[in-house]
Amino acid sequence: LGFTLVEMLVVLVLMGLIAASIAPNLVGTTKRTQTDKLVADLIDLDARARLLSSKHRMCYFEYDETHHQIELFVVHEKVESVQVIDMPDFAMLDMEQRIEQSRMVITFDRLGQTDDYQYTISMDEDAIQIAFNGLTGWHEVSREVLP
């Protein structure tokens, strides 16, 4: 019992059609997963900055638009980088707080407090807002579908 060339071609075409119908769903899932990870990383960054600020003279993080990344720094006797979060290429980040030389900076005092701030992550089809209370660290995440 063998397969003819026609039977093998039919099977290959069917496999191609199935793969073509599944692939777009996988790409969307990957973006969604990367976005959810970014949201979790930003919430973790806030909590870590609050914790580290009590142990060091100052703690801050900044969003560098040029390198498309957020970096957490502590200041004790010298400035030291503690954590770097790289942004996915498809996401644009907007921080609503102080802007210094094309860098957006969030500074925490010795009590782990800062001014209220929020992120807006914009993507193709939707936007996510993460609003932080500067005193308590309480945060709210909301997702908005763009028209």
Side-chain angles (χ1 to χ4, degrees):
L1 301 217
F3 295 107
T4 66
L5 183 58
V6 173
E7 290 172 326
M8 290 178 67
L9 287 175
V10 168
V11 169
L12 287 174
V13 167
L14 289 174
M15 288 174 57
L17 290 173
I18 291 170
S21 67
I22 293 174
N25 293 336
L26 294 177
V27 171
T29 303
T30 303
K31 277 188 177 181
R32 180 71 171 232
T33 302
Q34 287 178 334
T35 305
D36 290 346
K37 181 184 180 318
L38 176 61
V39 169
D41 286 345
L42 293 174
I43 292 169
D44 180 57
L45 184 73
D46 179 81
R48 190 166 184 198
R50 289 174 191 280
L51 178 67
L52 289 172
S53 65
S54 65
K55 298 177 181 177
H56 299 278
R57 188 177 329 146
M58 185 175 71
C59 185
Y60 67 95
F61 55 85
E62 62 184 30
Y63 173 53
D64 184 352
E65 291 177 340
T66 307
H67 296 100
H68 208 54
Q69 65 186 13
I70 297 175
E71 191 164 5
L72 174 63
F73 297 93
V74 294
V75 179
H76 197 64
E77 294 180 16
K78 61 180 182 168
V79 177
E80 183 180 336
S81 175
V82 178
Q83 181 178 1
V84 176
I85 298 174
D86 292 318
M87 298 289 298
D89 293 334
F90 61 85
M92 297 301 297
L93 182 69
D94 181 31
M95 285 173 53
E96 294 183 15
Q97 205 188 32
R98 193 172 66 224
I99 298 176
E100 297 176 4
Q101 301 171 1
S102 81
R103 293 175 183 256
M104 295 178 229
V105 180
I106 308 291
T107 305
F108 294 83
D109 63 16
R110 298 268 305 164
L111 299 174
Q113 299 174 342
T114 187
D115 296 330
D116 292 351
Y117 68 98
Q118 73 179 26
Y119 297 108
T120 302
I121 304 168
S122 303
M123 294 161 296
D124 301 335
E125 63 279 350
D126 61 351
I128 298 172
Q129 276 192 337
I130 312 168
F132 287 91
N133 181 300
L135 296 177
T136 63
W138 177 85
H139 60 274
E140 182 178 348
V141 179
S142 61
R143 187 177 299 263
E144 176 183 339
V145 177
L146 299 174

